[in-house]
Amino acid sequence: MKKFRKVLDGLTTSSPGGTMGSPSCGSAAGTPTAAPTPRDIDVQETLVSENFQLCKTVRHGFTYQPTALAFDPVQKILAIGSRSGGVRILGRPGVDCYCQHESGAAVLQLQFLINEGALVTACADDTLHLWNLRQRRPAVLHSLKFNRERITFCHLPFQSKWLYVGTERGNTHIVNIESFILSGYVIMWNKAIELSTKTHPGPVVHLSDSPKDEGKLLIGFEGGTIVQWDLRAKKADFRIYYDEAIHSVSWHHEGKQFMCSHSDGSLTLWNLRNTTKPFQVTFPHGKIQKDGRKESCKPILKVEYKTSRNSEPFVIFSGGLSYDKAGRRPALTIMHGKAITVLEMDYPIVEFMVLCDTPYINEIQEPYAVVVLLEKDLIVVDLTQSNFPVFENPYPMDIHESPVTCTAYFADCPPDIIPILYSIGAKHKKTGYSQKEWPIAGGTWTLGSHTYPEIIITGHADGSIKFWDASAFTLQMLYKLKTSKVFEKPKLGEGRGADLGEEDPFAVQMVSWCPHSRIFCVVGISAHIILYRFSKYDANTQTVSLEVRLQCEPEDIITPSENENNPCFSEPGSHSPQPHHQYPVSPGSRTPDGAKDSTPFLKVKDKTVRVPPGYQSDLVIQLLWVDGEPPQQITSLDINSAYGLLAFGNCNGLAVVDYIQKTVILCISTVDLYGATDPYQRLTRSPRRNRQSTSEHCMRGLSNFYSDSKKRIRTSYQSLTELTDNQQSIDMERSKSPTSDHVNGHCTSPTSQPCSAGKPRIPMGPEGPRLTRRGPGRPPFRKAQSAACMEISLPVSHTEESRENSFSRSRSSSVSSIDRDTKEAITTLQFGESYGRKSDALPTPCLWVGTSLGVVILIPLSIPMDHEERMEDPVTVGPSGAVQMLKGSVLRFAFLDCNGALIQSPYEIWRDQNAPEDPDRPRRRKLVHFSPSSSQDAFGEGHLTVVCSERQAKVFLMPSQSCLFVHNITESSFVLRADVVSLCNSVCLACFCANGHVMTLSLPSLRPLMDVNYLPLTDMRIARTFCFTNEGQALYLSSPTEIQRITYSQEMCDNLQEMLGELFTPIETPEAQNRGFLKGFFGGNAHTFDREELFGEAAAGKASRSLAQHIPGQGGVEGMKVAASGVVGDLARARIALDERGQRLGELEERTTLMMTSAETFSKHAHELMLKCKDKKWYQF
């Protein structure tokens, strides 16, 4: 039988063309069924493989682990490098580009070719890269790999094509930017220092031109040595030896002074007239102690010395604080004249850069802002105002304000939802920002033609929810919701959270949102659900709380009850659903640990509070502790506003709540859902010998993903250790009666008799009592076979490889492991109009339930449709309907009509419950239904149901429940996320597997359309945050601080260029100020310095080939055009050539004019001489 079942499950019936033929069918249970005739399901499929292409689009958020910073003062664009080799380039809002080095080496330094549309990056693998920014997708044009020396510092003078590169050995090399070839000109460290020096000066930490003379290069060594090198004479002008290590150097714009920052927290000012000792030494934060000594200070890592025309110079530095104050936050100090301002930061400072009006270093700088790159934030300080306010950041840099724990992505939302959320959220924005415009305003961006409303929702570890406007490849926060406000703050040492060491009791696990009805549901880590309604008015509300007891196993050996149970489900043959429980379930009996039972993790505020406009809590559902054990995590959730129902499940069972009447209508274990149709034979367990709390195994805090090793990663994909304890299992077929209405020892039927204390009732089946036993000391977490309900708790100190291996090892085939454990979790839920039984003629409200064992259960619902009846009459639950089976845990349901179009779930049109009453128009519910039989006259009654599991996808025809198509998605891996999405006016099934493959299948024939090995699962963060949406888009959390968006639509890939911003804008380079006659006369001959003459191959020769290796870049078609003519580009070269030609023509014209003037003078003198000598005789001369 097993072999026969496997053969049937392995059949994939698909038509080779776009139109479905007559498929051969097999039921999910493994028995063949009659297939519908072709005319019943003749669907013309329009999607083909040419409609799909996978590529990255944009990346949002703050750069994870930043390392470097650069700014182009003419183009006004900012670049940020990261430890993982990424480069983020930012301009005006909408101009946001992410580049990645293939090597993944950390970026050490960034250098813009100012106003040339290019960027040089120096990486930790001692490679220089030249990026072309004149295309929307930047690409590497050249790379230069140093083989024998390590790069420590780079400097590129303005309007120069020669890059100075300092190394760890103390040498300075020179690279031609256009060809990316080393010059033969090298400044060796032993030539730079005096021969009498006995120690090595250390690595090069600074290189800069003298503002007074470009032919003089200032070299700073880490050991405290500073050398000014005359590039023409190839010798040192002066050498400075200082006792303290040097971290940075900054020139005064006149070139007569420079300032150094040191490791002892001091600043030294040096005058070129006397370099024997510093002109001034200051300890900005070093106070004199009672014994007369200065207190020790931290190193000043960077200093910038900037002059201003109308005020005192600015001295800005990071670090230098005293050691004596523990816990003091990192600070940026601004010294302006005698005023010293210390700006404390929330995170350590990585780098800062002062923004000035001019790109010329020999002009008055006029600083107007300072960009501060922190470890987890980017801020810009306004220097033009005395209180130094910060600019409001237009980029979404605060995604990680609290660690992201879940994501949701909605494309093609109702157009009115974004303005409403923005207007509500704008009222709560922070104030005190600078009134000036954001200074990083480079590039151009226009709203593309292929735009539609998109919203991204992120859930966080502190319980907060953020709504983001993600339209047109941008990201802007609309609204923030704090779910923790619903609960009372847990007190230290009290409550369940304290018992378990819960660090983030409000952390968000999953969200469910209906944009049409604006109903919003949040599932929290503490086994709680909060339902929110949206209102444009503030209101005084008191949140209703429901407590649900969902525990499927009693503590001790179960003995048969003497009394019969009243039926909760009718017999499978019955068509009239019976009334079910409509009130909160009974807390049940108390144990000797009574204080620990029937209590939730958190306490809901029981008083009336004033809530602002926006999302307002309407109902809180909490799972209770049972027998000293905490509730299991909620693994699935669905809500339907038209039905007014909310369903959720976990590893123990299923509960359905009527949120209109605020009652629980169903609370049942997974096993009891089957009735008499259970497809498995389950093992019972031996009794537990002693009662002990196992809370330490459950509900650990959802830590942030980059915390220390004491914290633990928590995902919704549980990987639970398999039990190896000795258990005496009795292998017997489950004889549970389908008429049972007792679950976990509490009543679920309003007509049943009360349970006796301590003796939960277990029904008697036709074959006698069912024994439910559990081994001694058994923890509440057990081996489950679901990817959607499982949890991983791994130390952060483990490597990524060990995480992935642990994740994959914990997985097992859902079919093969049935006999080893009967634990079955609810993994997915879906409300919809369907056919509960084969004999149904019309669709009715149903709840589709998918489990971790690959079982699909259909539960019919009877819902009063009249407005008054719905408010008062109970919702009844019918007996379980169809039972189907798939390989692996069920992940997704979707419904198609017989034309192949997606059937949306019915919903209620949003109405504001806090709006003023209108007596002429009573407030009634308005529902929108999408019946599967509304437009199928030619195709008959019925609809198609798409079911996707971890390994398999099936399409069923309802109400006959026959399987039309089967496709085995993967055998070696398993599906993490699956969704039915709309694309190109059609629908398809999109899947993301644990092995990194992104696949799409046609519907309903399940033909493979795309299979791309995109992203191997190296981080659990990707698994829990990857989500698909309509229009061929998806996203995932690529790092703890960044959201990566991708597309699998060929149309969007084709239009991607026009939707992205332009980084480079043609701008005229500002002219240098006129230095005046005296400054030009006494200021040296800086303008006559010709680097080409010094560094070119003709003068300096070729560098050693073994020193560095040139690697051509893959710049793409657009980039190669630029590469062919050098980095400055064809237009820039043509402009320079025209300027040179015009200059030469001007010189030629001047020479011609001089020659004409000289000729006229000669002609005049010759004529005068002729007249004078005309009448003279020869002897008169």
Side-chain angles (χ1 to χ4, degrees), residues 13 20 41 43 45 896-897 899-900 944 946 954-955 964-966 987 1002-1007:
T13 56
M20 284 194 281
I41 51 171
V43 178
E45 295 181 359
L896 309 177
D897 62 22
N899 294 319
L944 304 176
V946 182
K954 288 187 178 183
V955 176
L964 302 182
F965 297 99
V966 183
V987 290
S1002 68
L1003 288 177
S1005 67
L1006 299 177
R1007 288 181 298 108

Side-chain angles (χ1 to χ4, degrees), residues 382-445:
D382 187 357
L383 295 179
T384 61
Q385 300 183 40
S386 58
N387 58 340
F388 303 127
V390 298
F391 290 89
E392 184 177 6
N393 198 327
Y395 314 122
M397 294 291 183
D398 57 346
I399 292 176
H400 62 287
E401 185 179 15
S402 175
V404 178
T405 55
C406 73
T407 58
Y409 192 7
F410 300 87
D412 208 8
C413 299
D416 60 335
I417 192 69
I418 290 180
I420 290 176
L421 288 174
Y422 181 79
S423 62
I424 297 295
K427 300 176 182 177
H428 305 285
K429 281 194 172 183
K430 297 179 181 179
T431 57
Y433 293 110
S434 173
Q435 299 300 316
K436 294 191 175 182
E437 293 185 1
W438 180 252
I440 306 167
T444 56
W445 179 79

Side-chain angles (χ1 to χ4, degrees), residues 151-173:
I151 299 172
T152 56
F153 195 86
C154 297
H155 170 62
L156 180 65
F158 179 46
Q159 293 181 326
S160 169
K161 66 177 184 179
W162 298 95
L163 175 72
Y164 302 114
V165 181
T167 67
E168 192 175 35
R169 292 186 180 180
N171 302 325
T172 302
H173 300 275

Side-chain angles (χ1 to χ4, degrees), residues 474-681:
T474 61
L475 196 69
Q476 183 180 12
M477 196 171 80
L478 297 172
Y479 175 73
K480 183 177 179 180
L481 175 67
K482 294 182 179 180
T483 63
S484 59
K485 291 185 175 181
V486 176
F487 304 99
E488 293 184 1
K489 190 175 180 180
K491 296 180 180 179
L492 295 176
E494 295 183 8
R496 291 299 177 192
D499 293 342
L500 300 176
E502 181 62 56
E503 298 176 5
D504 302 305
F506 308 112
V508 179
Q509 267 194 307
M510 65 181 78
V511 296
S512 179
W513 184 48
C514 177
H516 301 282
S517 63
R518 302 180 190 173
I519 295 288
F520 185 60
C521 254
V522 178
V523 176
I525 197 74
S526 298
H528 65 270
I529 300 173
I530 311 175
L531 186 143
Y532 289 90
R533 292 179 182 269
F534 187 82
S535 175
K536 295 190 292 185
Y537 303 92
D538 54 0
N540 294 316
T541 62
Q542 183 176 0
T543 304
V544 178
S545 177
L546 283 181
E547 295 178 350
V548 178
R549 181 186 176 101
L550 193 58
Q551 196 85 357
C552 72
E553 287 189 283
E555 288 284 338
D556 301 315
I557 301 177
I558 303 304
T559 57
S561 175
E562 298 176 357
N563 298 325
E564 291 295 326
N565 298 310
N566 294 321
C568 152
F569 285 155
S570 61
E571 292 294 327
S574 174
H575 298 288
S576 58
Q578 300 297 320
H580 205 63
H581 183 60
Q582 297 137 20
Y583 303 98
V585 294
S586 168
S589 60
R590 293 236 169 204
T591 66
D593 310 341
K596 294 185 178 180
D597 290 335
S598 304
T599 58
F601 271 97
L602 304 170
K603 186 177 180 181
V604 180
K605 292 180 179 178
D606 55 1
K607 59 182 179 180
T608 302
V609 294
R610 188 78 172 174
V611 290
Y615 275 104
Q616 302 167 352
S617 59
D618 184 64
L619 176 66
V620 176
I621 305 168
Q622 295 190 89
L623 297 185
L624 300 175
W625 284 60
V626 177
D627 298 331
E629 293 184 354
Q632 299 287 329
Q633 298 285 300
I634 295 171
T635 57
S636 56
L637 172 76
D638 192 40
I639 186 169
N640 189 279
S641 57
Y643 302 160
L645 299 179
L646 182 151
F648 63 93
N650 64 4
C651 292
N652 289 332
L654 168 71
V656 181
V657 174
D658 182 346
Y659 67 80
I660 294 178
Q661 298 184 23
K662 306 293 191 296
T663 58
V664 180
I665 64 173
L666 179 66
C667 182
I668 190 170
S669 69
T670 313
V671 175
D672 296 325
L673 279 172
Y674 293 104
T677 59
D678 191 351
Y680 297 123
Q681 291 184 355

Side-chain angles (χ1 to χ4, degrees), residues 34-50:
T37 58
R39 60 183 176 83
D40 292 330
I41 51 171
D42 187 16
V43 178
Q44 184 72 31
E45 295 181 359
T46 58
L47 288 177
V48 293
S49 59
E50 286 74 17

Side-chain angles (χ1 to χ4, degrees), residues 78-112:
L78 187 78
I80 302 173
S82 73
R83 191 176 301 174
S84 60
V87 178
R88 191 82 171 273
I89 305 173
L90 302 171
R92 66 176 68 249
V95 179
D96 189 341
C97 180
Y98 177 80
C99 315
Q100 176 67 44
H101 292 90
E102 291 183 0
S103 64
V107 178
L108 299 180
Q109 197 175 352
L110 300 166
Q111 284 278 330
F112 274 106

